[in-house]
Amino acid sequence: MKAHSQALLPGAMLGVLGGGQLGRMFAHAATQMGYRVTVLDPAVRGPAAEVATRHLCYSYDDPKGLEELAGSCDAVTTEFENVPAHSLRYLQQHTRVSPPPAAVEIAQSRIREKNFFKQNSVPTNHFYLLTSDADIDDGFAQMSGKAVIKTTQLGYDGKGQRVCNSAAEARQAFKEFGSVECLLEDFVPFDLEVSVVLARDIHGNTEVFPVVENQHSNGILDVCIVPARVSATVSDTAKNIACKLANALEYVGVLAVEMFVSGDTLLVNEIAPRPHNSGHYTLDATDHSQFDQQVRTLCGLQAAKITQQQPAVMLNVLGDLVLDEKFSWEILCSESDSHLHVYGKEEARSGRKMAHVNFLGNDVDDILRRVVTIKGQFPEVY
Ligand code: AMP
């Protein structure tokens, strides 16, 4: 194993745990820079395996797959946070791993995440851990009247969470979620949601991408607007909070931090220890993408300085749109300054992320109007 301070140069083999679209875009960036990529993905076919040099088809905790990955890769990263922590720790004993397993472990659990925010004086909304039905009355009484119940593990894209207006509603949701450990947190009547994606390298240099304004639909990211339409104060505070978290985590890699904005107040919702859907605009609108930064930080190269070349709006393309009878890819790339990124998933399903389009222009409000016009062609979906 090479000393971690030594840079890995083109030709090295990079491993990625997970075979979805984030792994695919990582593989594109890595192969463009001359690296080879091995994907560990239990699915026989997938977006990342399709473009990688090599595919190891094993589950994430199969010792054989992990041994092979560790033995053949000069460094390993992950494209999702729910990799078993012991797998990452095993890999770390044999090869370079980024992000740090401890950071991934924190991001895997909403309660570990919230406690980490609290311990590090990172602003977040009030929360309460529910381990049994008996905790619900006390927990709800501590909320400000409206709360959100979320399973502490494996929730994503609005799954495993529900808004509750009473303890009875929270009790019902807790039961429906299988009485697993849940977090009850204050509902935040936010003005808007933002995220900050950053890259921190092994030397501790941090490069921060512009703040992104995120609009969700049914709990799933729909549109990202960059730069976010927030004051300079909010933008600076958001970046400072994200950097504070990255330092506290002694992070190496790409980190995304999602926040709620109410006036000038920011509350951190959650973190993702990997490139993030809200950073996909960087593929076309900044001089280095979040995936370039993932490759660089994994390989021990310096995180690149970031300049946004043009304002951008990203539109997520979900299975619902692809399945609409009026849908055609042509409509999405009918404009010259729209950039289509398709993930190569065989089957479109409702809520499934199939692709995204980055629209560029001179002004985010103008770009947003163009996106609204395109969405208007699919009244059954939007
Ligand atoms: P999450 O899985 O925590 O990212 O939640 C998905 C989306 O649900 C967020 O992006 C928000 O739009 C909404 N949401 C989550 N938690 C809260 C909250 N405490 N208050 C208001 N909205 C929330």
Side-chain angles (χ1 to χ4, degrees):
M1 188 175 23
K2 268 192 182 171
H4 287 201
S5 54
Q6 250 179 299
L8 294 174
L9 300 175
M13 180 65 92
L14 308 180
V16 59
L17 293 154
Q21 64 269 20
L22 298 175
R24 180 186 181 96
M25 291 183 268
F26 167 78
H28 280 149
T31 49
Q32 187 185 321
M33 289 167 75
Y35 295 95
R36 294 170 301 136
V37 175
T38 298
V39 170
L40 182 76
D41 180 9
V44 177
R45 269 197 213 99
E50 194 178 66
V51 301
T53 320
R54 189 168 178 225
H55 175 200
L56 296 174
C57 192
Y58 294 97
S59 67
Y60 300 115
D61 54 1
D62 186 323
K64 217 166 150 235
L66 293 171
E67 197 183 318
E68 186 131 12
L69 192 70
S72 60
C73 292
D74 299 295
V76 176
T77 188
T78 181
E79 65 128 37
F80 74 124
E81 50 271 43
N82 291 318
V83 193
H86 62 86
S87 298
L88 283 176
R89 291 195 192 285
Y90 166 83
L91 290 168
Q92 199 180 31
Q93 285 164 18
H94 300 90
T95 188
R96 251 185 227 208
V97 172
S98 103
V104 177
E105 238 175 312
I106 290 170
Q108 275 173 358
S109 153
R110 289 191 191 271
I111 187 68
R112 280 201 287 269
E113 219 172 41
K114 285 281 191 195
N115 283 327
F116 188 81
F117 299 159
K118 213 169 143 181
Q119 282 153 15
N120 289 281
S121 308
V122 167
T124 193
N125 42 333
H126 187 58
F127 63 95
Y128 189 102
L129 177 66
L130 303 174
T131 53
S132 82
D133 185 86
D135 299 329
I136 294 176
D137 283 329
D138 188 36
F140 198 83
Q142 291 195 29
M143 300 294 127
S144 53
K146 193 169 175 180
V148 184
I149 182 170
K150 301 178 174 181
T151 56
T152 57
Q153 312 257 356
L154 302 174
Y156 68 100
D157 286 346
K159 292 191 177 73
Q161 68 171 270
R162 192 166 308 157
V163 176
C164 314
N165 290 295
S166 65
E169 282 180 24
R171 183 163 286 113
Q172 179 61 28
F174 184 76
K175 200 169 141 202
E176 283 176 34
F177 294 157
S179 301
V180 294
E181 189 184 79
C182 283
L183 193 74
L184 193 64
E185 61 176 48
D186 255 335
F187 179 86
V188 182
F190 54 78
D191 300 330
L192 52 88
E193 292 180 82
V194 297
S195 56
V196 174
V197 176
L198 60 76
R200 188 170 184 274
D201 63 30
I202 51 167
H203 311 292
N205 300 320
T206 304
E207 298 297 337
V208 187
F209 286 98
V211 178
V212 181
E213 178 180 342
N214 297 321
Q215 296 181 350
H216 292 79
S217 173
N218 301 319
I220 307 179
L221 189 64
D222 178 29
V223 162
C224 294
I225 301 157
V226 209
R229 295 167 298 176
V230 293
S231 65
T233 312
V234 167
S235 175
D236 290 347
T237 310
K239 288 180 176 177
N240 288 339
I241 290 173
C243 289
K244 184 176 180 178
L245 273 167
N247 289 337
L249 290 163
E250 295 180 30
Y251 202 79
V252 177
V254 173
L255 177 74
V257 183
E258 294 184 65
M259 305 174 212
F260 300 129
V261 184
S262 312
D264 278 348
T265 305
L266 284 148
L267 296 172
V268 175
N269 177 29
E270 60 177 358
I271 58 172
R274 53 172 170 77
H276 192 252
N277 195 166
S278 66
H280 289 356
Y281 78 95
T282 63
L283 287 164
D284 298 301
T286 52
D287 45 3
H288 299 274
S289 77
Q290 59 173 347
F291 302 100
D292 296 336
Q293 297 283 48
Q294 188 181 17
V295 175
R296 283 170 165 267
T297 50
L298 177 64
C299 293
L301 302 170
Q302 264 210 331
K305 294 223 172 305
I306 296 301
T307 309
Q308 184 171 4
Q309 316 282 11
Q310 270 190 291
V313 173
M314 185 222 63
L315 173 70
N316 255 350
V317 178
L318 301 186
D320 311 66
L321 181 59
V322 175
L323 293 169
D324 187 80
E325 58 177 25
K326 293 207 175 73
F327 176 78
S328 95
W329 292 109
E330 240 178 317
I331 298 177
L332 290 182
C333 45
S334 54
E335 299 185 29
S336 60
D337 47 3
S338 65
H339 302 257
L340 178 63
H341 300 263
V342 182
Y343 308 148
K345 295 182 184 175
E346 284 184 352
E347 195 196 340
R349 288 196 296 268
S350 176
R352 192 173 200 204
K353 291 172 184 168
M354 303 301 291
H356 70 269
V357 192
N358 290 329
F359 296 87
L360 305 181
N362 296 320
D363 174 83
V364 284
D365 290 311
D366 284 345
I367 311 171
L368 204 51
R369 274 190 283 278
R370 283 159 44 202
V371 173
V372 168
T373 305
I374 289 179
K375 288 169 88 174
Q377 298 190 44
F378 309 102
E380 299 290 323
V381 181
Y382 294 108

